[in-house]
Amino acid sequence: MGLIKSTERQISTRCTHIRLCVCRMMEVEVGRHNVLLVRSEGIYSAIGNQCTHYGAPLSKGVLSGHRVRCPWHGACFNIQTGDLEEYPGMDCLPCHTVKVENNKVYVSDGILGLSVRVCAQVPCVYVVACVSVCDGVLSLSVSAGSASLVCAETLRQENFGGRIIMVTRDNLLPYDKTRLSKVNYPNSLSEAFSSSVLLSWQAMSLDTEKKKVTFDDGSVQSYDQLLISTGSKGLECPGKDLENVKMLETPEDARQIHVACMGCHIVIVGTSFVGMEVASYMTDKASSITVIGSSELPYQKTLGPEIGKVTMMMLAEKDVAFYMNDNVSEVRGENGKVKEVVLKSGTVIPADVLIVGIGVIPNSEFLQGTPIAMDSKSSVIVDKCMRTNVLEVFCGGDLATFPLTMAKDQRVNIGHWQMAQAHGRVAALNMLNIPTELNSVPYYWTVLLGKNIRYTGYGEGYTDIVVKGKVEEQKFLAFYIKDDEVIAAASLNYDPAVSAVAERFAAGNTITKKEAEYVATHIPLSHCKLIIIFSPGRQTDTSTHGHTL
């Protein structure tokens, strides 16, 4: 590691310098700090090495130009300033001073601080109202109110000095909703950003002409600019009024499910993210687990049949029973509690607890009768600036349908944490008359039995899959193909492959089917971990580390 000189730690030896020339970044210990030392275009910089989302080591991520992308969940940071440039990171990274003397690199033990971009205050805006992600109005918070949370945070970072009101029908401040089905407890993400937080309030109507929102207690709140991010709610199934019929939407739901399922026979309806993750979580807690799916395989529409089959096998090995191509026709109760679940096929399944995760519908009822444009599914239509068709009204999160840049501006509805955060930031900047368009690349993940499947892009309508590795061995990288181009990618035990693909998408560079096939058949695993995708027209030398992004 070298010698400590004054408050600086010498990082360089000839060997270390050579490694940086090849890899361009490495993890080093500087005093009590875990630091990412980066060499880009001949310039050294040093920032914190742990992603501010879940603490992933950025040294194992993907370096592209002046930013590094997290290997786990795709957050991006500027390697020179530490600025957060893509979510789901929750904060910027600390920076360290770097200098080079006599062919040795020195990194300061002291932290320069977090970089925050600040713009001039816009005096014409006085009140910002943000309707939160699960019902509420005039401000952020609600279940997984990431759009509202980031909107308020961005307004304050950009030096907005007006009033921010955050309203939610929940009785909690914003939390990480992605953790509910994975570990069954949430972490509070933030205190209010010098703003009013109104908990347990529900929006009942909106008057866009008078700029007023009416709540369930009859109170009325005026606004200057409004962010609507009321999210979605789960679809119900028969037997909803019986005790121990559960839906996973809030931390209280998670706690109740955990307690109710211990040592019991549970039935889960739905084989997408919530249903499969709850089944995974309960494998060592419930007496028996039965999963009911309407398709042939889990995740069939999102991850495809190949991956769906292996996820089904993973859980089946833990004695999870599956009834596929079937639906619930009746839920029978006894003394007010669920007793049996009857399928359309005639199968009767004993149940102490029934967990329903069969899809969602937008929380947009209170917008009916307003001039705000919605699509056929009652999602709110916005442009790339998150603006609705009504002046000073914005929308984000699960409720919004928006043009996705990487999908050639196709209008999409993506109910994932990272995208909702990006919505909040873009909405806030445009509220402040800082023209900003949404250019984020979708990135999400699911956890089954402690193993992470990562996904980036937008794979709807794919016609072919190119797979590197073996899906059945639970070690693979899958490319989803449409019109001879890669439109999405998923991986298991292949980090940082999906982050490398996401960075390629973010740069606006096409990945052809031919490139994907070359990676799948010619590039060794050791090289794929360093760089997965090769730029069009370049010659690939697999005897070295290949070309960087």
Side-chain angles (χ1 to χ4, degrees), residues 2-298:
L3 303 173
I4 297 177
K5 183 178 181 181
S6 179
T7 60
E8 299 175 333
R9 182 178 293 269
Q10 178 183 322
I11 300 303
S12 177
T13 65
R14 183 173 300 174
C15 178
T16 302
H17 189 81
I18 291 173
R19 286 178 60 196
L20 277 172
C21 287
V22 174
C23 300
R24 297 198 295 169
M25 60 181 182
M26 65 181 295
E27 175 185 355
V28 296
E29 294 296 326
V30 181
R32 294 175 290 108
H33 306 294
N34 185 240
V35 175
L36 178 69
L37 179 62
V38 184
R39 181 177 183 269
S40 177
E41 297 179 358
I43 299 174
Y44 289 96
S45 59
I47 58 176
N49 186 48
Q50 291 183 305
C51 177
T52 57
H53 182 224
Y54 284 178
L58 296 176
S59 57
K60 297 184 182 299
V62 176
L63 180 64
S64 177
H66 294 292
R67 73 179 189 177
V68 59
R69 185 179 285 266
C70 172
W72 291 358
H73 306 128
C76 295
F77 302 89
N78 188 294
I79 59 174
Q80 296 175 339
T81 66
D83 282 345
L84 175 66
E85 295 190 348
E86 183 58 272
Y87 297 99
M90 295 306 299
D91 210 338
C92 300
L93 290 168
C95 297
H96 297 258
T97 300
V98 179
K99 66 180 181 180
V100 181
E101 291 181 354
N102 300 321
N103 294 320
K104 299 183 186 297
V105 180
Y106 295 85
V107 178
S108 170
D109 192 21
I111 296 177
L112 296 178
L114 300 182
S115 175
V116 177
R117 289 182 291 270
V118 178
C119 72
Q121 180 176 341
V122 181
C124 62
V125 183
Y126 296 101
V127 179
V128 175
C130 305
V131 183
S132 93
V133 171
C134 241
D135 247 341
V137 188
L138 301 174
S139 199
L140 47 15
S141 180
V142 164
S143 291
S146 52
S148 298
L149 173 65
V150 172
C151 180
E153 181 181 31
T154 302
L155 289 170
R156 290 304 186 216
Q157 286 181 340
E158 296 295 337
N159 207 28
F160 170 69
R163 185 183 179 199
I164 300 175
I165 305 174
M166 299 178 280
V167 181
T168 170
R169 76 172 183 182
D170 278 0
N171 60 358
L172 295 170
L173 290 172
Y175 55 85
D176 188 346
K177 193 172 184 178
T178 64
R179 295 174 66 89
L180 288 184
S181 57
K182 296 175 176 63
V183 293
N184 269 49
Y185 65 87
N187 288 334
S188 177
L189 293 180
S190 176
E191 298 296 329
F193 295 99
S194 303
S195 50
S196 301
V197 182
L198 306 178
L199 303 178
S200 302
W201 283 37
Q202 183 170 342
M204 301 304 293
S205 64
L206 169 64
D207 187 330
T208 58
E209 185 175 343
K210 295 181 179 179
K211 291 189 173 183
K212 294 180 183 293
V213 181
T214 301
F215 297 94
D216 53 352
D217 65 351
S219 61
V220 178
Q221 176 64 54
S222 299
Y223 66 85
D224 288 325
Q225 298 192 80
L226 176 69
L227 172 65
I228 305 171
S229 54
T230 48
S232 56
K233 58 186 176 183
L235 293 170
E236 298 174 341
C237 79
K240 64 178 182 178
D241 296 326
L242 292 172
E243 187 177 337
N244 280 358
V245 175
K246 305 290 186 181
M247 297 177 69
L248 181 58
E249 294 184 331
T250 69
E252 182 58 29
D253 293 337
R255 283 188 284 269
Q256 289 183 12
I257 288 172
H258 177 86
V259 172
C261 291
M262 297 298 289
C264 293
H265 302 288
I266 68 173
V267 175
I268 300 170
V269 184
T271 55
S272 193
F273 296 96
V274 171
M276 293 292 283
E277 287 178 356
V278 171
S280 168
Y281 176 78
M282 289 295 172
T283 52
D284 60 348
K285 301 172 180 63
S287 292
S288 70
I289 304 171
T290 303
V291 178
I292 302 164
S294 59
S295 58
E296 183 179 353
L297 293 164

